[in-house]
Structure formats: structure tokens, C-alpha cells
Amino acid sequence: MLLTVDIGNTNIKAINLPKTITYIGVSAFESCTTIEKIIIPIAVTTLREYAFRHCKNLTIYCEIDKAPKGWTSSYWNVYPARPVVWSYIEE
């Protein structure tokens, strides 16, 4: 399953992506300044550049222990770089 939609600046505070998501597209959450938490499932093998650009309040929670090769180098988490919690297990 692909996630390529730009949801823009909404009032959403947290996003728990479905376990079936495998791809997060370029700028998918760009400028979503109200998002504080996103949980990225272990199935996400591709995460494109600028996915979280300008998400100034965001902390990224990843179920995987490190970025897979399919995550576009370091450009998926820039402008500004957001905190990342690796090996996250939801309680």
C-alpha cells in the first residue's frame, strides 16, 4: 500500500499508519505543523525525501531499528531534522 497524499496543514496531532503501508511519498506530510507524533510501521520499505519537512512539532516513532536502504538517504528527515525513536513498540 502506498502513501503519497499531501494532507497539508490540518489539526491532526497524531498519526498511526496502517501496518499495510509500505511507501511514503515525497513531501507526504510536508508543512503539517500540528502533527506531534507519527508511528511508522515496520512494513515501510520506502520513505522518500522531504516527507516531514517543516513539521516543527513532530517526533517520529519507527517500529524498525534503523532506516532501511529504501529510505532516501538522510533526506527523509530534514528542514528541520525531527527526533526519531527507533524500535518503537506501541503500548
Side-chain angles (χ1 to χ4, degrees):
M1 177 180 271
L2 305 177
L3 179 67
T4 57
V5 44
D6 179 359
I7 62 173
N9 194 7
T10 66
N11 292 324
I12 296 172
K13 297 274 186 201
I15 298 173
N16 190 350
L17 296 173
K19 302 287 186 198
T20 55
I21 294 286
T22 59
Y23 180 101
I24 298 175
V26 174
S27 302
F29 298 98
E30 182 173 358
S31 298
C32 294
T33 58
T34 62
I35 297 176
E36 297 173 358
K37 177 180 184 178
I38 187 166
I39 300 172
I40 300 178
I42 201 165
V44 175
T45 55
T46 304
L47 201 159
R48 296 295 308 275
E49 57 270 21
Y50 312 120
F52 307 109
R53 181 167 52 180
H54 305 302
C55 295
K56 62 183 179 180
N57 298 308
L58 180 64
T59 299
I60 303 165
Y61 295 84
C62 299
E63 292 179 347
I64 199 162
D65 63 348
K66 63 181 179 181
K69 291 180 185 177
W71 292 24
T72 309
S73 67
S74 61
Y75 294 108
W76 62 271
N77 184 19
V78 294
Y79 308 117
R82 304 308 316 143
V84 179
V85 177
W86 297 103
S87 301
Y88 178 75
I89 299 171
E90 190 173 17
E91 297 175 10

